[in-house]
Amino acid sequence: MALLRDDRSARGAMLYSEACRRLGLADPVMASLIERIGACSLRPRRGHFVILCDAIISQQLSPAAAATIYRRFTRLYPSQRPTPARVAGTSMARLRTVGLSPQKAAYIKDLARRFADGTIQPRRFAHQDNEAIIVALASIRGIGRWTAEMFLIFALNRLDVLPVDDLGIQKAVRRWYALKRLPGPDRLRALARPWAPHESLACWYLWRSAGLT
């Protein structure tokens, strides 16, 4: 099993290396950021249900507060493993004890029900395009397009996602492409054409560039 994981990791690193090479050739700004930041560390994440629970919990909270509430949430369940069936069977009152607002508790219950009743089937993700997954996830209360796009990038590692409404991306593009104002969706899509089909990687480097001087 360890050898299999190592092999997958090596193949993933090779995939990103080639994608970054092509991205750098297509866009000199990206080439500079890739050189300064180094290898991309995006890796697929398992546990799609808990990833989305975490995303709901984190909304409009500081990272520290979100992490505390998420830890309390996981401790409600055996082996700290919330499952859709377990969460669907948890009362709102019990969910509230970990610090969740009534609204977020309701969102997590809705998410659990959608997974438990088969409305959302993670096994289908590999056979669905980005937009189909976004539409499915955005039908869940508390999950919008931006959250679904982050899921595509950071959980599924889809390489061709461009979250045009992300403020961090907009600020980085204004900085590194010397724009006078934040780019709107259409301007950002036009500027990002050379990144295709590796928009997610470009966005990862733009997010990471925030600490560069």
Side-chain angles (χ1 to χ4, degrees), residues 5-74:
R5 286 196 298 268
D6 290 344
D7 182 57
R8 288 175 177 171
S9 178
R11 282 187 279 124
M14 290 176 62
L15 172 66
Y16 288 137
S17 177
E18 176 60 19
C20 287
R21 187 187 69 82
R22 294 182 180 183
L23 185 61
L25 289 173
D27 185 328
V29 173
M30 280 294 137
S32 175
L33 292 178
I34 291 167
E35 182 178 0
R36 295 179 67 183
I37 293 169
C40 176
S41 61
L42 274 175
R43 295 294 181 271
R45 295 173 59 193
R46 295 183 179 182
H48 297 151
F49 172 68
V50 293
I51 289 171
L52 290 168
C53 287
D54 192 13
I56 290 173
I57 290 169
S58 299
Q59 292 171 5
Q60 299 179 322
L61 291 178
S62 70
T68 297
I69 293 174
Y70 180 73
R71 282 196 302 270
R72 293 173 182 166
F73 168 69
T74 62

Side-chain angles (χ1 to χ4, degrees), residues 7 67 73 86 92 104 108 115 117-118 138 142 152 163-164 166 202 207:
D7 182 57
F73 168 69
R86 288 170 178 166
M92 287 283 289
K104 286 187 179 180
I108 287 177
F115 270 75
D117 68 14
L152 287 172
V164 295
D166 186 272
W207 280 315

Side-chain angles (χ1 to χ4, degrees), residues 50 140 147 150 157 180:
V50 293
I140 301 168
T147 299
M150 296 303 103
N157 280 185
K180 293 182 178 180

Side-chain angles (χ1 to χ4, degrees), residues 6 10 16 19 27 43 77 84 112 121-122 132 143 147 156 159 163 174 192 195 199 205 210:
D6 290 344
Y16 288 137
D27 185 328
R43 295 294 181 271
Y77 303 98
Q121 298 186 33
I143 296 180
T147 299
L156 301 185
L159 296 183
R174 180 179 63 182
W195 305 347
E199 293 93 334
Y205 280 100

Side-chain angles (χ1 to χ4, degrees), residues 5 31 40 44 55 57 94 97-98 106 110 123 152 157 161 206:
R5 286 196 298 268
C40 176
I57 290 169
R94 186 162 171 75
T97 64
V98 305
D110 186 46
R123 292 182 180 179
L152 287 172
N157 280 185
V161 181
L206 289 167

